[in-house]
Amino acid sequence: MNRWDADQESVAETPDLAALAALLADRTRAAICMALLDGGTWTAGELAEYAAVAPSTTTEHLNLLVAGGLLAEERRGRRRYVRLAGPETAETLENLAGLAPYRRVPVRSLAEANHRRALHHARTCYDHIAGALGVAIADAMSERGLLARDYGLVLTAAGADWLTALGLPDTAPPDAHRAHVRTCLDWTVRRQHLSGAVGAALYRHALERAWVVKAVATRILTVTAAGRVAFRAQLGLPDEALFPSLALQPPRG
């Protein structure tokens, strides 16, 4: 009969959710992570300017985020560049933002109001489309039988055929470390948008075909005239999904 030796040292591992929560509990660190949802690589100086904090303070925050596994870094000469650790990190952040309570912030100009409307309408979530447009795409694909909700979201045979017709054959193997089809809880409307390898492929296709254009130095996407024609033809998207809403606050679904 085996006996537990009280003197024997034993170590087990368990997820430290509190450590992750502590990293994002600081609003500056949270703002840095949300800025990096554009999928780009930023310098410490750019993030300091964005977060409106001192460079030395930004460095401290970046050190914690890199050590905690949320960010990855690289050096190019004397410059330090950081980015999100990967698509799974981006999806986790967007899901957390979808669960977070809304906080009232002042809107001081028409330009800022327009920026917020555009961000709510269509934006990048790392490497796929988010916002009201992203949710509308996921809804339309489900309604047309291209996606099915079984044990999680799956691409149907009709969906695979649709991708092939777009020039995105589903026979291409997805990233070995990336889910084929996933969803993120979109913080704009508190509903799901499409992510995973398929979501990323659709975004690249829309960008290459100029259905959407990405604004410089932001996550904002604008649907072009060609994009409106294509999204209507391919998915039957209504006009309210193709233009920013006049409502400034996101609806609470």
Side-chain angles (χ1 to χ4, degrees), residues 27 97-105 120 186-191 249-253:
R27 284 209 169 107
L99 293 171
Y102 289 120
R103 178 169 62 95
R104 290 185 177 275
V105 294
H120 292 176
D186 196 286
W187 59 261
T188 302
V189 292
R190 302 280 166 109
R191 293 177 56 212
Q249 295 296 330
R252 300 170 191 273

Side-chain angles (χ1 to χ4, degrees), residues 2-242:
N2 293 331
R3 275 177 34 179
W4 176 260
D5 185 349
D7 295 328
Q8 177 183 353
E9 183 178 351
S10 180
V11 176
E13 292 186 343
T14 188
D16 192 350
L17 185 59
L20 175 61
L23 281 175
L24 296 172
D26 181 274
R27 284 209 169 107
T28 298
R29 289 197 292 273
I32 287 171
C33 288
M34 293 298 285
L36 290 169
L37 276 173
D38 70 347
T41 303
W42 293 47
T43 66
E46 289 169 338
L47 288 169
E49 183 177 355
Y50 173 84
V53 295
S56 58
T57 302
T58 303
T59 297
E60 293 173 5
H61 288 310
L62 293 180
N63 289 342
L64 289 170
L65 290 168
V66 170
L70 291 179
L71 303 187
E73 67 175 343
E74 59 182 278
R75 298 277 182 174
R76 301 177 194 168
R78 295 184 178 181
R79 286 183 176 268
R80 180 193 199 187
Y81 291 84
V82 294
R83 55 178 171 77
L84 291 183
E88 294 83 3
T89 302
E91 290 164 10
T92 297
L93 290 169
E94 184 83 0
N95 282 326
L96 287 173
L99 293 171
Y102 289 120
R103 178 169 62 95
R104 290 185 177 275
V105 294
V107 178
R108 298 184 172 87
S109 68
L110 178 61
E112 184 178 354
N114 288 336
H115 176 91
R116 288 182 177 276
R117 289 188 185 101
L119 189 69
H120 292 176
H121 172 242
R123 64 183 181 275
T124 56
C125 176
Y126 193 68
D127 61 359
H128 55 271
I129 299 172
L133 176 64
V135 172
I137 289 171
D139 286 348
M141 290 182 69
S142 296
E143 290 165 4
R144 291 178 171 231
L146 308 179
L147 296 173
R149 297 182 185 275
D150 193 358
Y151 295 99
L153 201 66
V154 296
L155 189 74
T156 65
D161 290 343
W162 181 73
L163 289 177
T164 300
L166 281 180
L168 299 169
D170 187 50
T171 53
D175 186 327
H177 302 291
R178 185 86 185 274
H180 190 204
V181 177
R182 289 189 66 174
T183 59
C184 289
L185 179 60
D186 196 286
W187 59 261
T188 302
V189 292
R190 302 280 166 109
R191 293 177 56 212
Q192 305 289 336
H193 65 242
L194 181 65
S195 59
V198 171
L202 283 175
Y203 169 59
R204 288 194 301 270
H205 183 79
L207 202 60
E208 289 166 0
R209 297 298 179 93
W211 295 358
V212 296
V213 292
K214 187 172 181 290
V216 177
T218 79
R219 298 169 58 194
I220 291 172
L221 297 174
T222 300
V223 182
T224 65
R228 289 192 288 273
V229 171
F231 282 125
R232 288 187 188 112
Q234 293 292 336
L235 294 171
L237 295 193
D239 283 349
E240 54 265 30
L242 300 173

